[in-house]
Every structure is written in structure tokens, then in C-alpha cells.
């Protein structure tokens, strides 16, 4: 398996590289073909983040975890990936045969959507901005600027490849990614759809995006 390891906000470590390599390569027993893995290890707000993505044929597996220890974060991220691999081991292997037949068709029809994760400022930040603007208006009414809301902070940006698949396959891919939603193209209706896990009852929801009819 081809493995790429990236360190962010702290220096590279040979021992962490070797540890991550050993953990990632354990999943080879679940896969019937070589794939590639991307490991991003980062330090943010004193927490150690491990973001591990493994590509195997048409499927993408992902585990993300954070803790006060990077080795523990790697362990937990890989535990998530292995749990889903054990659950879907046979389906992944069976799908590879069909994937070879439809590979060219999917290359033509795939497109991407951008997914951003962001933080909104705390309520205190909005209050501070309003207080500052009010004080400036009192001091120099003619030139005082209007209150500016603090900007949102982008935490992570990624692109999602939208692939044709059935609803069952979309749920499987969502689980392999350890996410609560997944964007895909319905293999029968060709609509762009979002499947998601409902928080209240653990069931799944499906949102379909219909293209507007052509005018005239």
C-alpha cells in the first residue's frame, strides 16, 4: 500500500511515521487489492489530531480522532476504519468486479462538490464588536464605522467526488467514511442526492436535488 504522511503544526517524527505505517498496513488483510493511504497528523489547541484516509478501488475509508496523545489518536482513528472494514469486507470485495465494468462510465460522469467545515465566532465576540463600534460612534460620530461581525473561521476544506451509485451503496460509503452524510448521484434517476443519518432515531434520510425544467 502506498502511504503518504503529513505533519502539520509540529515537526516530523520517524517513530510516529513508523507507528502510523504499521497501523495502516493492518487493513491489507481486509482488502483484495493494493490501495493508497493518506495520514495527516496535526496539533491544534493542544490536542493531537489524526486524520486517516484509505482508498481501495471505488471506496474511500476515513477515520478521524483527536486526543491528548498522538499515538492514541492514531489508534482510535484506525479502530474506526477497521470496524467498518469488518462490517463491509465481503461487499467491498464483491464490488471490485462490477467496478471494473463501470469504471470508464464513472470517469466520464463524476463531478465534485466542495465541503467546508467552519466555526462561528462566540457570542462574546459579536458583543465586543458591537461595543467597540458604539464607543467609536460616541467619540467621532461622523467617521465611526458600523459594527462588523467577526468573520467565520474555516477549519477544513475538502472536495467530495460525486459518483453514481445506489442508495444502499451510498449508505455503505457514508459509513466507511465515518460521516453523518454523503453526497452522490442516484444510479437510476441521475439526481444529485444526499443520504444522512438521523440524530433522533438512528435511521437514514434521503434528500434529492431536482434540476429545474427547461424553460420554453
Amino acid at each position: 500500500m502506498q502511504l503518504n504522511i503529513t505533519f502539520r503544526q509540529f515537526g516530523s517524527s520517524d517513530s510516529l511515521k513508523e507507528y502510523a505505517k504499521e497501523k495502516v498496513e493492518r487493513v491489507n488483510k481486509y482488502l483484495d487489492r493494493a490501495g493508497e493511504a493518506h495520514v495527516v497528523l496535526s496539533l491544534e489547541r493542544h490536542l493531537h489530531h489524526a486524520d486517516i484516509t484509505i482508498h481501495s478501488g471505488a471506496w474511500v475509508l476515513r477515520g478521524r480522532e483527536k486526543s491528548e496523545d498522538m499515538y492514541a489518536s492514531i489508534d482510535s482513528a484506525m479502530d474506526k476504519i477497521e470496524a467498518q472494514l469488518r462490517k463491509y469486507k465481503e461487499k467491498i470485495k464483491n464490488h471490485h468486479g462490477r467496478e471494473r465494468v463501470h469504471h470508464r462510465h464513472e470517469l466520464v460522469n463524476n463531478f465534485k462538490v466542495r465541503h467546508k467545515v467552519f466555526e462561528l465566532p462566540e457570542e462574546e465576540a459579536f458583543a465586543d464588536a458591537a461595543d467597540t463600534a458604539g464607543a467609536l460612534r460616541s467619540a467621532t460620530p461622523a467617521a465611526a464605522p458600523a459594527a462588523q461581525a467577526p468573520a467565520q473561521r474555516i477549519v477544513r476544506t475538502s472536495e467530495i467526488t460525486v459518483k453514481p451509485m445506489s442508495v444502499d451503496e451510498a449508505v455503505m460509503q457514508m459509513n466507511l467514511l465515518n460521516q453523518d452524510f454523503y453526497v452522490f448521484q442516484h444510479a437510476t434517476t441521475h439526481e444529485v442526492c444526499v443520504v444522512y443519518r438521523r440524530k433522533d432515531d438512528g435511521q437514514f434520510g434521503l434528500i434529492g436535488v431536482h434540476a429545474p425544467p427547461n424553460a420554453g
Side-chain angles (χ1 to χ4, degrees), residues 147-166:
Q148 295 289 330
Q152 64 189 29
R153 187 176 77 91
I154 303 298
V155 177
R156 183 172 61 251
T157 301
S158 59
E159 286 190 340
I160 301 172
T161 301
V162 180
K163 301 178 181 179
M165 59 179 61
S166 68

Side-chain angles (χ1 to χ4, degrees), residues 113 160 162 167 170-171 174 179-186 191-197 204-210:
V113 296
I160 301 172
V162 180
V167 175
V171 171
M174 177 181 69
Q179 292 186 167
D180 293 323
F181 75 95
Y182 185 70
V183 184
F184 69 104
Q185 183 182 31
H186 198 291
E191 298 170 357
V192 176
C193 297
V194 179
V195 64
Y196 64 95
R197 182 178 290 103
F204 301 102
L206 180 66
I207 300 172
V209 180
H210 298 269

Side-chain angles (χ1 to χ4, degrees), residues 28 31 36 54 75-76 81 101 108 130 135 164 168 175 182 198 211:
N28 284 329
L31 307 173
E36 60 178 357
I54 298 174
D75 285 344
S76 298
I81 290 175
V101 175
V108 173
D168 288 347
N175 289 333
Y182 185 70
R198 292 164 53 90

Side-chain angles (χ1 to χ4, degrees), residues 14-177:
D14 289 338
S15 60
L16 278 174
K17 283 183 180 180
E18 189 60 32
Y19 190 79
K21 181 175 182 292
E22 178 184 336
K23 288 291 184 177
V24 169
E25 289 183 345
R26 288 194 335 199
V27 305
N28 284 329
K29 61 187 177 184
Y30 299 106
L31 307 173
D32 64 350
R33 64 190 305 176
E36 60 178 357
H38 301 274
V39 179
V40 178
L41 306 178
S42 59
L43 183 63
E44 184 176 348
R45 296 180 180 178
H46 307 292
L47 288 177
H48 298 259
H49 295 247
D51 186 345
I52 303 174
T53 305
I54 298 174
H55 296 263
S56 177
W59 303 107
V60 182
L61 305 96
R62 179 171 293 148
R64 291 191 180 108
E65 196 54 79
K66 59 185 177 181
S67 71
E68 296 181 352
D69 177 77
M70 187 61 78
Y71 293 93
S73 296
I74 294 171
D75 285 344
S76 298
M78 284 306 305
D79 285 346
K80 290 182 177 180
I81 290 175
E82 286 196 66
Q84 296 299 340
L85 275 173
R86 286 192 294 270
K87 180 178 179 180
Y88 291 112
K89 178 181 177 181
E90 294 305 318
K91 287 187 177 181
I92 290 175
K93 290 186 176 182
N94 292 337
H95 188 272
H96 286 330
R98 292 188 292 118
E99 174 204 344
R100 286 189 285 271
V101 175
H102 298 292
H103 182 60
R104 184 180 300 274
H105 172 74
E106 291 188 356
L107 283 178
V108 173
N109 289 281
N110 287 357
F111 60 95
K112 295 180 182 292
V113 296
R114 186 169 291 109
H115 175 217
K116 291 186 177 181
V117 178
F118 62 90
E119 289 182 347
L120 290 175
E122 299 291 339
E123 291 183 5
E124 291 80 1
F126 284 102
D128 290 344
D131 291 344
T132 300
L136 289 173
R137 279 196 298 272
S138 299
T140 54
Q148 295 289 330
Q152 64 189 29
R153 187 176 77 91
I154 303 298
V155 177
R156 183 172 61 251
T157 301
S158 59
E159 286 190 340
I160 301 172
T161 301
V162 180
K163 301 178 181 179
M165 59 179 61
S166 68
V167 175
D168 288 347
E169 288 173 331
V171 171
M172 174 177 165
Q173 178 61 91
M174 177 181 69
N175 289 333
L176 289 173
L177 287 168

